[in-house]
Amino acid sequence: MLSRKMFKHYVDEEADASRNPFQRTTRIDCDKIFTTEKVLYNDRLKTTIRPDVCQELFEEVMEELNSDGYEEIPMNEEELVGINSLIVKRD
């Protein structure tokens, strides 16, 4: 697992198909969020284990994100479209 010093706010989540799509224990970084505005993501990018996380995990992550705030990092959308054909520009 990654060092706690790298993250101020995080959620550690065990792999559990009833809660999440993770195949291994996962540390969710709650110090930042990455955003896009003008791209669409094909549903084929979602995992086959489950397409989402359970409500309880979602609320835990949101609480951790909002505890001290977070840094919002806009993604380079041109690069995203260029590296994955399942991500396209929105009209």
Side-chain angles (χ1 to χ4, degrees):
M1 190 51 56
L2 297 172
S3 166
R4 293 180 193 273
K5 294 179 182 178
M6 292 180 68
F7 304 96
K8 184 175 180 183
H9 297 282
Y10 58 89
V11 172
D12 285 336
E13 178 74 5
E14 298 289 328
D16 179 349
S18 70
R19 289 179 51 86
N20 62 62
F22 310 139
Q23 293 182 344
R24 294 177 184 82
T25 298
T26 300
R27 175 161 288 171
I28 302 167
D29 179 358
C30 297
D31 293 325
K32 61 187 85 62
I33 60 171
F34 296 91
T35 60
T36 57
E37 292 182 17
K38 297 179 181 173
V39 293
L40 297 172
Y41 299 88
N42 190 297
D43 281 344
R44 290 187 292 163
L45 289 166
K46 295 179 181 178
T47 66
T48 55
I49 296 170
R50 68 176 288 157
D52 60 1
V53 297
C54 70
Q55 187 65 31
E56 181 182 2
L57 176 56
F58 177 79
E59 289 170 5
E60 189 175 342
V61 169
M62 292 304 296
E63 181 178 321
E64 199 62 41
L65 278 166
N66 291 318
S67 65
D68 272 338
Y70 51 84
E71 179 182 2
E72 189 171 326
I73 302 172
M75 298 293 295
N76 182 322
E77 295 175 352
E78 293 298 326
E79 286 183 12
L80 284 174
V81 169
I83 62 173
N84 194 318
S85 63
L86 296 176
I87 303 172
V88 296
K89 285 287 209 173
R90 185 183 316 202
D91 292 330

